[in-house]
Amino acid sequence: MLPWGGISCCLSAAALYLLGRSSGRDADSLKSVGRVNQLKDLALLLDAASKVIPFVVCVSGRVGSETPIKCEYSGLRGVMVEETAEQHFLKHNDAGSWVQDSALMLCMSKEVPWYLDDGTGRVFVLGARGATGLELTVGSEIFEESGRSLVRGTLDYLQGLKMLGVKRTERVLPTGTPLTVVGEAIKDDVGTVRIQRPHKGPFYVSPKTIDQLIVNLGKWARWYKFASLGFTAFGVYLIAKHALGLILERRRRWEMHKRVRDAAAKRSGRDGDANGKDEGGSDSAKRDCLMPDLCVICLEQEYNAVFVPYASIPSFFCFVVFAGT
């Protein structure tokens, strides 16, 4: 039987090690990114580094848009809006009790062209929805209770449901939010500078500064490393314990077999001295002498009972009934 506990720990350690290496590489890549202090200088830097592909930079500024979206419930203006609607209800289970559950009814996303502005210039951001570190603010959460229609309530009850209401949530990236964007800087056909996801390299859109991102990634890399070492040590311990148990079990069996063979040799020697031994005995008789039907405890009587423990070889015992007992 394989030591699945130890193997699972070692596989988990390998996965954590790979995660730690990935976080460490991300931190190193962020350290090598060029930082743009003022957005007005980005166009000049892009022209000077035209041969560097991809030209990955870090820029900071506040979110802005010429056509912002106005949220329906919160009234906030933003450049990204996600609306979700969940139907909450009570469900009649097999045990006869009512259990609360929910189902997603609506999930809608809106985005308009937007840019970062630091007061000296602007840079448009493309494809930010798939960037790492993007966090949308919860603009509003509204719970609308279901109507008290008698017919609808009766039909739902016959289906094993009790409608509670609909929870509507708005998540938004408001205008004026300070962000840090790490990505590839390019110029379009009309000369507008944009930041997009590079084909190879980091792409972050985060409210944290780049120094905070580097520190956070380094911390996670160290945590993954220590966790990997811990899982590795525990897995090796479990595997070594299992292997040692197998070795000791095999040694115990070998010693028991040797003990039985030695006792059989002594007994056959006594029988040969008393009765004489036939030199032309068959091979099967010789094999029986090597492993006779002896009790493994007293090594004198033939066994007449078998004890079969779990995951072990059978042991043969004799039951001797004494007079008066």
Side-chain angles (χ1 to χ4, degrees):
M1 184 177 180
L2 294 175
W4 292 113
I7 294 174
S8 300
C9 287
C10 291
L11 292 177
S12 300
L16 289 172
Y17 175 75
L18 293 177
L19 286 174
R21 288 198 60 180
S22 177
S23 298
R25 285 195 300 267
D26 292 342
D28 293 337
S29 64
L30 287 181
K31 291 178 182 178
S32 62
V33 166
R35 305 189 186 192
V36 179
N37 296 324
Q38 294 182 337
L39 294 180
K40 68 177 182 179
D41 300 331
L42 182 56
L44 299 176
L45 293 174
L46 189 58
D47 292 336
S50 58
K51 296 182 180 180
V52 180
I53 298 175
F55 182 53
V56 180
V57 296
C58 172
V59 297
S60 299
R62 293 187 177 273
V63 175
S65 176
E66 297 175 355
T67 57
I69 305 171
K70 185 177 180 181
C71 298
E72 180 180 356
Y73 299 101
S74 63
L76 294 174
R77 293 183 179 272
V79 297
M80 289 186 195
V81 177
E82 288 185 358
E83 298 179 8
T84 58
E86 291 182 341
Q87 177 71 58
H88 288 254
F89 53 88
L90 295 178
K91 181 171 60 176
H92 200 249
N93 61 12
D94 297 336
S97 58
W98 294 93
V99 180
Q100 186 172 349
D101 201 353
S102 64
L104 185 64
M105 297 173 53
L106 173 68
C107 183
M108 183 173 58
S109 300
K110 300 177 184 179
E111 184 176 0
V112 295
W114 60 281
Y115 52 82
L116 290 181
D117 191 340
D118 67 346
T120 65
R122 292 180 178 179
V123 57
F124 283 85
V125 182
L126 303 178
R129 188 173 296 277
T132 304
L134 179 63
E135 298 176 359
L136 299 183
T137 305
V138 177
S140 65
E141 287 185 346
I142 300 175
F143 188 80
E144 300 175 352
E145 294 186 2
S146 298
R148 299 299 182 180
S149 171
L150 179 61
V151 177
R152 178 63 182 273
T154 302
L155 291 176
D156 292 338
Y157 185 82
L158 292 177
Q159 295 177 357
L161 300 174
K162 286 183 180 180
M163 296 300 174
L164 300 177
V166 178
K167 180 182 179 182
R168 301 185 183 274
T169 305
E170 279 184 342
R171 292 180 173 84
V172 59
L173 179 59
T175 56
T177 303
L179 287 182
T180 297
V181 178
V182 178
E184 180 184 7
I186 61 170
K187 274 188 178 181
D188 59 12
D189 297 335
V190 296
T192 303
V193 180
R194 303 175 183 271
I195 302 291
Q196 65 179 13
R197 176 187 291 275
H199 294 290
K200 184 178 180 181
F203 186 43
Y204 285 83
V205 177
S206 174
K208 299 178 181 178
T209 65
I210 187 171
D211 292 327
Q212 291 174 333
L213 291 174
I214 293 173
V215 170
N216 189 47
L217 288 172
K219 180 173 63 177
W220 278 106
R222 289 190 298 272
W223 187 90
Y224 286 137
K225 178 181 178 181
F226 293 144
S228 175
L229 291 175
F231 273 95
T232 300
F234 190 63
V236 170
Y237 164 75
L238 292 178
I239 293 175
K241 179 181 177 182
H242 182 79
L244 181 61
L246 290 178
I247 293 173
L248 293 178
E249 177 67 16
R250 290 188 178 184
R251 181 178 178 182
R252 186 187 67 81
R253 293 180 184 181
W254 180 82
E255 290 178 349
M256 185 186 69
H257 290 167
K258 183 176 182 298
R259 182 183 177 193
V260 172
R261 286 194 298 267
D262 293 343
K266 290 174 61 176
R267 181 178 178 183
S268 62
R270 292 197 302 268
D271 293 342
D273 293 340
N275 304 323
K277 187 176 180 181
D278 185 8
E279 296 294 338
S282 64
D283 293 339
S284 61
K286 292 180 180 180
R287 284 195 299 268
D288 291 340
C289 290
L290 292 177
M291 185 59 66
D293 299 335
L294 291 180
C295 170
V296 299
I297 302 300
C298 67
L299 300 178
E300 294 292 339
Q301 304 290 333
E302 293 185 358
Y303 67 82
N304 52 26
V306 179
F307 174 67
V308 185
Y310 177 73
S312 180
I313 62 172
S315 299
F316 305 97
F317 299 92
C318 66
F319 286 87
V320 181
V321 180
F322 296 96
T325 62

